[in-house]
């Protein structure tokens, strides 16, 4: 079957018919919920008075932590995140009170009348401040291979450095939202925009002090998530459920954009210290790298994210002696959280900056130094944590991309352009991606499904994954249609529902289709194993001659037939009715767990990933050194998705991931004042990429002819890996800045490379040029 069909909701998205949580018709009883949050980064709550707020006509509830019937907790892994602040507040944006009222205006008015007395305390806002106070979130982590200190000592050349990487706001188009609808007794149904409905269910039950079998969480679709709804959507879900439980009415909480940006965590900023040792040829011999992340006020997923950063500090390169230290620092900021790549980008940028510097130090082309250091054949195929890089696909896209992008030719043209222009410069860079697929917490790699076949021959598929725009449901359509031999119009994908498929993992780590696709296939296999004997018996009963055997049966074109004797044929629908009359169950659950993955945190060794996804990009930029204005002139991408489950969807993920990465690398900058107030919390000051930021010439290709033996239908996960291809854009800008000094001096650079960072780098470089000439 041709799987290149558009997103299953594409038409609905465009016409506005797609139902998001905010579009749901509940009833006229529904109340509007509002979160009242801390204005202080760190303070003691001396006293509060909710009396005046509760008096406002139209107000149905004003709650503090004292009104929580269950456990005042919503930490996903570690129980260090109160549902509502108790005693102290630990960041600006931390929820302290909740209001439910008949309208948003009334809720706002009530919030204004809440009286709180805070005693401000000293706040820690940056990684540096946390380091100075030794304010660690937990124990330091380490992964090490070889003899690092000795190899560094013996290396002919060494470079040290420090790199800052910035936060990134998720900027999902649909802000955090949840509607909670109380039922009879303890029942609570919650419609949540959420990547992790099972965890929302658990936290809601815990906060309300009820059992999980009374809580049902449903997710139809999200208007974008990008990791921002992996844990933090649970907060809004729990708050709405708490208000619904108290008032006995449906309650909706939808965060305003500014509140969403102030309240929720971001991509972790990192402070990276490194030392790299290498020889004359540019071959890396040893690396010592320390990854320090800003965790914010609570643990959230910080350690899993740190771990993934550490697993990607090698990116695509074999480093025989490598020490990777990881630390999470606790600060008075909202708890930082999952964001596409999940620490991978921060890990990769550390080695990419090292390689770039090695090349500049040796006066060589960085693309060459990269290829020289790629993982290769034995013994250059073992990662610092001991996993072998199998089915390595780095050499293929490198060779092809250098050719198809006319890298050498364009390099000469760029040099020419730079020689002829004093203030305009161009730069170009290649960067690879090798991204490990699987949750690094091994037990999370499991999924379930429930497939129902109805007597009219239609199929309803339930699985534990959630749809956030990435096209998971579309891919599952393709899988279910292929496995049943049915046209897509016979199949419907249900909203994700904890009552249909329990105990699911978050849809994250790019493994949504790998895990849920397999679980759905498993359920369909079970159904086919029940239906086929009935069909075989029927054929052998009505036909004489050679007997049909189960292995002769094919399902295709909405038909079931014997492929040796095609006249023995029955429609899928007739077969279903026949099974029903024979009292055969037409509903099955499916299950999948990823085999053979493990990791020992103490030893820092194991096989955390089922396989790796590979990709490569070459980006060329134009830079105006007088303003810092830059533009991506051309990007060539070759990305490995195995046998694509849906090329149109995969292409969207590759292009979208790259552009979102460009945002992190260039214009997206979160700024805070010295009190911890986020200064840019709306689109007028926080700059995500827009139409003009798309490369003028964007040549994206899927690597064809390299099936992945490890995943459903030989496909590969694609959700996150392309994000990191954008490092080529960051490196290309650095290359253009470096051209200011004719590549004889190296610019100082951080991430994101905003216009300001670029201008400062250019000015600093010009200053050093003067000094160098004077000496
Ligand atoms: N694509 C869209 N359109 N919207 C999203 O929110 N999230 C990304 C990626 N692609 C996202 C997206 C993230 S962070 C992940 S982990 C994967 O999709 C999750 O979905 P998958 O596992 O089905 O690829
Ligand atoms: Mo994605 S950051 O794993 O939700």
């Amino acid at each position: 079957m041709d799987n290149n069909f558009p997103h299953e909701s594409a038409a609905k998205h465009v016409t506005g018919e797609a139902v998001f949580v905010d579009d749901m018709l509940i009833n006229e009883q529904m109340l509007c919920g509002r979160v009242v949050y801390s204005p202080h980064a760190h303070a003691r709550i001396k006293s509060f008075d909710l009396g005046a707020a509760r008096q406002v006509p139209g107000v149905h509830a004003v709650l503090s932590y004292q009104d929580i019937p269950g456990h005042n907790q919503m930490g996903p892994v570690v129980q260090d995140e109160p549902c509502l602040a108790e005693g102290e507040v630990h960041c600006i944006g931390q929820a302290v009170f909740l209001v439910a009222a008949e309208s948003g205006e009334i809720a706002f008015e009530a919030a204004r009348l809440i009286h709180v007395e805070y005693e401000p305390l000293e706040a820690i806002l940056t990684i540096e401040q946390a380091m100075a106070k030794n304010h660690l979130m937990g124990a330091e982590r380490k992964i090490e291979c070889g003899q690092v200190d000795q190899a560094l000592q013996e290396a002919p050349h060494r470079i040290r450095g420090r790199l800052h990487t910035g936060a990134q706001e998720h900027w999902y188009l649909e802000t955090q939202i949840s509607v909670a609808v109380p039922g009879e007794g303890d029942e609570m149904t919650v419609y949540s925009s959420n990547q992790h409905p099972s965890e929302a269910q658990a936290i809601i039950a815990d906060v309300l002090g009820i059992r999980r079998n009374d809580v049902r969480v449903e997710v139809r679709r999200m208007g974008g998530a990008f990791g921002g709804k992996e844990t933090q959507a649970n907060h809004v879900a729990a708050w709405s459920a708490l208000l619904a439980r108290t008032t006995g009415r449906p309650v909706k909480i939808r965060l305003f954009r500014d509140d969403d940006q102030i309240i929720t965590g971001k991509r972790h900023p990192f402070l990276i210290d490194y030392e790299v040792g290498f020889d004359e040829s540019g071959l890396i011999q040893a690396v010592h790298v320390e990854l320090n992340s800003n965790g914010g006020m609570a643990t959230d997923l910080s350690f899993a994210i740190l771990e993934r950063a550490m697993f990607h500090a090698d990116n695509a390169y074999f480093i025989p002696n490598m020490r990777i230290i990881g630390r999470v620092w606790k600060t008075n900021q909202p708890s930082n959280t999952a964001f596409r790549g999940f620490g991978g980008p921060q890990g990769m940028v550390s080695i990419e900056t090292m390689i770039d510097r090695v090349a500049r130090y040796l006066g060589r082309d960085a693309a060459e130094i990269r290829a020289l250091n790629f993982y290769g054949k034995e013994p250059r195929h073992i990662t610092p944590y001991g996993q072998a890089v199998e089915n390595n696909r780095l050499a293929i896209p490198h060779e092809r991309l250098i050719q198809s992008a006319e890298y050498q030719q364009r390099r000469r043209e760029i040099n020419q352009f730079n020689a002829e222009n004093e203030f305009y410069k161009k730069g170009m860079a290649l960067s690879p991606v090798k991204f490990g697929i699987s949750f690094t917490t091994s037990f999370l790699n499991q999924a379930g499904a429930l497939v129902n076949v109805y007597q009219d021959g239609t199929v309803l598929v339930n699985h534990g994954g959630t749809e956030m725009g990435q096209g998971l449901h579309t891919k599952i359509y393709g899988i279910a249609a292929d496995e049943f031999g049915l046209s897509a119009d016979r199949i419907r994908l249900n909203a994700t529902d904890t009552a249909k498929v329990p105990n699911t993992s978050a849809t994250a780590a790019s493994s949504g289709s790998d895990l849920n696709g397999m679980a759905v296939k498993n359920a369909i296999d079970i159904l086919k194993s029940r239906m086929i004997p009935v069909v075989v018996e029927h054929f052998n009963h009505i036909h004489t001659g050679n007997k049909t055997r189960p292995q002769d049966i094919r399902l295709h074109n909405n038909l079931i037939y014997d492929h040796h004797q095609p006249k023995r044929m029955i429609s899928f629908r007739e077969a279903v009715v026949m099974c029903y009359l024979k009292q055969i169950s037409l509903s099955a659950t499916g299950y999948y767990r990823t085999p053979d993955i493990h990791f020992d945190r103490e030893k820092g060794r194991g096989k955390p990933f089922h396989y790796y996804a590979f990709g490569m990009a070459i980006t060329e930029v134009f830079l105006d050194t007088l303003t810092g204005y830059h533009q991506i002139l051309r990007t060539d991408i070759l990305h490995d998705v195995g046998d694509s489950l849906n090329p149109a969807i995969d292409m969207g993920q590759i292009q979208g991931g790259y552009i979102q990465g460009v945002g992190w690398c260039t214009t997206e900058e979160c700024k805070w004042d010295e009190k911890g107030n986020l200064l840019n919390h709306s689109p007028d000051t926080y700059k995500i990429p827009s139409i003009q930021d798309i490369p003028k010439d964007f040549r994206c290709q899927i690597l064809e002819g390299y099936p992945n033996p490890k995943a459903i239908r030989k496909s590969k996960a694609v959700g996150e890996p392309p994000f990191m291809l954008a490092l080529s854009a960051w490196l290309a800008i650095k290359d253009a800045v470096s051209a200011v000094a004719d590549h004889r001096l190296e610019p100082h650079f951080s991430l994101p490379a905003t216009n300001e960072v670029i201008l400062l780098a250019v000015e600093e470089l010009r200053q050093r040029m003067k000094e160098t000439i004077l000496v």
Side-chain angles (χ1 to χ4, degrees), residues 170 195 225-230 267 301 305 308 337-343 435 439 468 506-511 719-720:
H170 299 84
Q195 288 173 256
F226 307 110
K229 295 173 181 172
E230 187 171 340
R267 179 186 296 285
L301 298 172
I305 290 162
R308 186 169 279 275
T337 193
F339 197 139
R340 205 171 195 169
F342 206 78
F435 193 79
F439 286 98
M468 57 195 92
T507 306
S510 305
S511 52
E720 294 165 287

Side-chain angles (χ1 to χ4, degrees), residues 8 78 80 265 302 388 398 580 635 656 678 681 730:
E8 42 90 24
V78 178
D80 63 354
S302 291
H398 186 264
Y580 172 74
T635 296
L678 181 64
H681 42 75
W730 182 69

Side-chain angles (χ1 to χ4, degrees), residues 583-657:
Q583 295 165 293
I584 300 290
S585 165
L586 291 166
S587 172
T589 59
Y591 183 77
Y592 176 74
R593 76 175 81 85
T594 312
D596 188 31
I597 43 177
H598 52 89
F599 182 67
D600 182 334
R601 287 211 174 107
E602 294 304 311
K603 299 204 177 93
R605 302 195 80 69
K607 181 178 178 267
F609 302 117
H610 193 38
Y611 62 87
Y612 294 99
F614 299 95
M616 218 161 287
I618 294 177
T619 299
E620 180 184 350
V621 299
F622 166 88
L623 178 66
D624 178 346
T625 62
L626 294 178
T627 61
Y629 168 82
H630 57 82
Q631 190 176 49
I632 299 180
L633 296 176
R634 174 169 164 185
T635 296
D636 293 68
I637 290 175
L638 191 53
H639 195 82
D640 162 34
V641 296
D643 282 350
S644 177
L645 284 172
N646 184 311
I649 295 284
D650 285 349
M651 193 58 99
Q653 288 292 297
I654 296 167
Q655 294 173 336

Side-chain angles (χ1 to χ4, degrees), residues 25 37 46 49 140 153 181 197 314 383 439 453 503 519 543 666:
L25 302 173
Y37 55 82
K46 287 173 72 176
D49 179 2
E140 173 179 299
Q153 295 258 296
V181 185
D314 59 339
T383 60
F439 286 98
V453 181
N503 308 317
H543 296 283
T666 61

